[in-house]
Amino acid sequence: MKFIEHIRSRSPYERTFHAVSYELIGIITSAPIIAFISGKPMAESGLLALIVSIIAMIWNYLFNFIFDKLQLKYQFKKTAFVRILHGIGFEVGLILLTVPPIALLFNMGLIDAFLLELGMLI
């Protein structure tokens, strides 16, 4: 029970630190994978990883803000089904937000950018 209370009592600074740390690890690990999958140079792949990471952090904040407001308004519980829908909704939104920048940065079509994004998610 103390663990759950600790999670709820985290400061905005602590939450930001965790989010940024998570994204930095994501950038460091995904840039080589993007370079391998796409055949693009590491500098371009690192830039893409950074852009996707920034989009993901902003989307995470907005999506969870909206989700929390909906939960307050409709008073639904976070059941396993709701958590699954939450995760799917987040990922679908993230794909929709990241595919256009991937296509622009790597000068490729939206379908190729979508496939690259799927490769990164997997």
Side-chain angles (χ1 to χ4, degrees):
M1 196 66 151
K2 287 185 180 188
F3 176 73
I4 293 172
E5 290 172 16
H6 172 70
I7 290 173
R8 289 184 183 153
S9 66
R10 287 185 180 151
S11 70
Y13 171 79
E14 190 175 6
R15 290 180 185 272
T16 301
F17 175 77
H18 287 155
V20 170
S21 298
Y22 177 82
E23 292 301 328
L24 282 174
I25 292 168
I27 291 167
I28 291 167
T29 58
S30 65
I33 295 168
I34 295 168
F36 177 76
I37 292 172
S38 68
K40 298 289 184 179
M42 189 66 149
E44 287 182 34
S45 299
L47 178 61
L48 177 61
L50 176 64
I51 290 168
V52 169
S53 177
I54 291 168
I55 292 169
M57 283 194 294
I58 294 168
W59 175 237
N60 187 320
Y61 178 83
L62 291 173
F63 183 80
N64 285 309
F65 179 81
I66 293 166
F67 181 86
D68 290 345
K69 292 294 182 188
L70 289 172
Q71 187 179 18
L72 281 173
K73 182 176 181 177
Y74 295 108
Q75 298 293 310
F76 57 86
K77 296 183 192 263
K78 287 186 180 178
T79 62
F81 179 71
V82 169
R83 289 177 189 273
I84 290 168
L85 287 179
H86 179 272
I88 291 170
F90 175 81
E91 292 299 335
V92 167
L94 186 59
I95 290 168
L96 292 173
L97 291 170
T98 56
V99 166
I102 292 169
L104 285 173
L105 184 63
F106 278 7
N107 196 26
M108 59 176 54
L110 291 173
I111 293 173
D112 288 334
F114 174 74
L115 294 173
L116 179 58
E117 174 66 9
L118 282 181
M120 288 189 299
L121 285 173
I122 292 171

